[in-house]
Amino acid sequence: VTPAALAAFRAVLGPAGILTEPADVAPFLRDFRGLYTGRSPLVARPDTVEQVQSLMRLATEYRTAIVPQGGNTSYCGAATPDASGTQIVVSLSRLKRIRAVDAAGFAITVDAGCTLSAVQAAAAGALRLFPLTLGSQDSCQIGGNLSTNAGGTAVLRYGMMRDLVLGLEVVLPDGRRMDQLSGLRKDNTGYELKQLFIGAEGTLGVITGACLKLYAAPAEYATALCALSGLGAAVELLGRLRASFGELVSAFEYIPAAAYALVARHLPEFVPPFAAASPAYALVELGLPSAARALADDFAALLAAEIDAGRLADAALASSLGQRQAFWFLREHIPDAQRRAGASLKHDISLPVAALPTFVAEARQRLKLLAPCGELVAYGHVGDGNLHFNLSPAAAGDDAALLALEAPIKRLVHDLVAAHGGSISAEHGIGRLKVAELERYEDPVALELMRRIKGALDPLGIMNPGKVLRGGDS
Ligand code: MLT
Ligand code: ZN
């Protein structure tokens, strides 16, 4: 970034819109997991869409690479600049207006820098639900949720972020603004452009605003923590629950004993709800409209029948909000507990739900031979066929041995996923971390189309170079 460019950026952003002191810039240079630390001469903090446009016009003029950043909570390094010191971070955090809440139309229009929890709260204020639910919701931002097509724990019922979008506003690399914010439910006019930018991880343009779908807020939740024999039993329970309750099943999270034990060991606040240990648990939640409140009894009856039939070891139904929160505490603190347990290797995979038990059994067996120093902690969104197929050290002192096997373990897991027709990134995206993996496993025709789309929308290669797709070195 030349002095002339710096002066130009300063002129359009104003003193409050630019950070250059190393101590101020530092937090924007490191990703949430600490996998990457980049360099950048400045962090731009526009507070209007017009400023984002001016910024992009200058970036085009000066051929400056841009790294859009939201709450900086992503898992694959998509929001971190490289080490060249030539890329500038654009933080959207000052763009945080709730633009409009349309309770009658079940829609909300927001700036990209709103935190997810701010959007949830604005929806709740209008007695509506914005359903995306993630561990990092207090700090992650809607623009990042859109750019990574975030998932979380309510996907089973409401879909991923791209399913929740009615309209999008994007600033293109040349500074033009694409306004597709109308929020119409029906609009069959040509290519579905907004979906290109969702999940593109900032490689095609800067998302500045969105119109999002709202839903009726459930009148109450029926939540149960079920103790069961393993993944096979969990998949069967999921099938029976969906057959009985259909779309009311809003979450189905799988918690193996290894994950349960990590939370119990590392988070003293956690109070185990069962006296006896079980090989696995499933956290199940139904969101009930007021007309269907009585279904909570049917839910309890189904679980009781499962226990009688010997298919479930036990089930604890939340009888208060506090208990519901305690069950979710267990689920939501698994990543935290795993971090506290030392080194961890993460894989974010998905398969057809029915294929999960066989896949996990096979992978477990092979991993035992390759990496006895690792303990499998495979938990997560089984309702969506998505497991966080992670490994922690098997015993204290195994950290280095486990990390040394990162590459062969990844190859084993991803090859097996591919052989089963699964995905190597179910919800965390590609970022910088999985560029080579995408190249290896993606259909070559699809990959070629992605490169052509990138070339068409970002001909100078200034949008988040090196993320998702290789190339565009700056
Ligand atoms: C989760 O579902 O907890 C996160 O997406 C995955 C993780 O932290 O490993
Ligand atoms: Zn997840």
Side-chain angles (χ1 to χ4, degrees):
V1 180
T2 61
L6 190 61
F9 284 123
R10 216 183 269 285
V12 299
L13 292 162
I18 199 161
L19 303 175
T20 49
E21 283 301 317
D24 297 335
V25 171
F28 298 85
L29 303 183
R30 193 177 141 91
D31 73 305
F32 173 72
R33 288 177 62 192
L35 299 176
Y36 304 104
T37 304
R39 290 172 57 229
S40 181
L42 67 98
V43 174
R45 300 172 69 235
D47 73 348
T48 62
V49 176
E50 291 69 29
Q51 280 192 353
V52 179
Q53 293 187 257
S54 306
L55 181 73
M56 291 314 304
R57 274 193 290 271
L58 288 176
T60 288
E61 185 181 335
Y62 290 101
R63 304 284 194 273
T64 306
I66 294 295
V67 181
Q69 190 176 102
N72 200 14
T73 60
S74 75
Y75 274 16
C76 299
T80 309
D82 69 12
S84 68
T86 62
Q87 305 186 331
I88 71 173
V89 174
V90 178
S91 165
L92 280 302
S93 53
R94 291 174 77 210
L95 280 182
K96 54 178 181 196
R97 285 171 311 138
I98 302 286
R99 298 190 194 174
V101 184
D102 176 5
F106 287 77
I108 187 168
T109 305
V110 302
D111 279 356
C114 290
T115 61
L116 173 52
S117 59
V119 176
Q120 292 166 338
L127 304 180
R128 297 289 179 263
L129 173 77
F130 181 63
L132 196 76
T133 307
L134 309 177
S136 59
Q137 59 202 19
D138 290 337
S139 44
C140 67
Q141 294 170 15
I142 287 297
N145 297 149
L146 289 159
S147 294
T148 58
N149 184 28
T153 53
V155 173
L156 177 62
R157 179 163 178 179
Y158 299 101
M160 293 183 70
M161 190 62 179
R162 72 165 77 253
D163 302 307
L164 302 175
V165 179
L166 292 169
L168 206 66
E169 177 187 76
V170 183
V171 174
L172 301 179
D174 62 11
R176 282 179 300 160
R177 182 172 67 108
M178 184 185 79
D179 183 348
Q180 300 269 285
L181 263 183
S182 74
L184 296 172
R185 302 257 164 183
K186 299 184 86 169
D187 181 14
N188 256 342
T189 50
Y191 299 145
E192 174 55 305
L193 293 174
K194 63 179 178 292
Q195 290 295 345
L196 270 182
F197 295 89
I198 302 171
E201 303 185 39
T203 61
L204 301 178
V206 183
I207 295 174
T208 48
C211 178
L212 306 170
K213 290 182 192 169
L214 298 181
Y215 289 82
E220 70 182 57
Y221 289 97
T223 312
L225 188 65
C226 304
L228 31 74
S229 60
L231 192 50
V235 169
E236 284 176 25
L237 175 65
L238 170 68
R240 282 192 288 274
L241 283 166
R242 295 186 78 182
S244 297
F245 298 104
E247 56 134 31
L248 297 176
V249 182
S250 46
F252 190 97
E253 294 287 317
Y254 181 70
I255 304 168
Y260 187 94
L262 281 179
V263 175
R265 192 175 325 137
H266 294 283
L267 293 142
E269 312 93 296
F270 174 60
V271 185
F274 300 111
S278 175
Y281 306 85
L283 174 52
V284 185
E285 188 158 275
L286 270 51
L288 301 170
S290 53
R293 274 197 170 125
L295 287 178
D297 296 337
D298 295 351
F299 178 53
L302 184 148
L303 295 177
E306 292 291 301
I307 294 171
D308 287 347
R311 290 192 292 256
L312 267 188
D314 206 347
L317 265 162
S319 56
S320 65
L321 183 61
Q323 219 168 10
R324 175 181 177 232
Q325 283 165 346
F327 293 170
W328 277 107
F329 180 95
L330 163 65
R331 166 60 186 90
E332 279 165 358
H333 283 81
I334 296 171
D336 186 18
Q338 213 195 356
R339 203 164 28 244
R340 293 179 198 217
S344 62
L345 299 180
K346 287 176 181 281
H347 313 88
D348 170 34
I349 62 164
S350 66
L351 292 159
V353 175
L356 284 177
T358 319
F359 166 84
V360 172
E362 195 176 335
R364 184 191 298 279
Q365 213 162 29
R366 294 196 196 188
L367 283 169
K368 223 178 248 166
L369 299 175
L370 174 65
C373 53
E375 179 185 39
L376 187 59
V377 186
Y379 64 92
H381 323 294
V382 159
D384 317 323
N386 175 195
L387 278 178
H388 297 304
F389 196 84
N390 300 349
L391 285 96
S392 277
D398 278 341
D399 294 63
L402 180 64
L403 288 177
L405 288 172
E406 177 171 7
I409 289 174
K410 179 166 69 181
R411 193 56 55 233
L412 185 162
V413 173
H414 287 173
D415 279 354
L416 201 58
V417 165
H420 281 80
S423 168
I424 54 119
S425 184
E427 65 170 4
H428 293 165
I430 300 298
R432 199 158 144 186
L433 186 65
K434 293 187 186 167
V435 173
E437 297 301 286
L438 181 70
E439 275 178 6
R440 188 181 179 103
Y441 295 104
E442 186 54 275
D443 167 55
V445 177
L447 204 52
E448 206 251 328
L449 281 183
M450 288 187 208
R451 292 195 179 110
R452 279 164 57 182
I453 289 169
K454 169 76 175 169
L457 272 73
D458 178 26
L460 301 177
I462 58 172
M463 287 308 310
N464 214 3
K467 313 292 168 48
V468 183
L469 298 170
R470 194 187 298 274
D473 295 333
S474 57

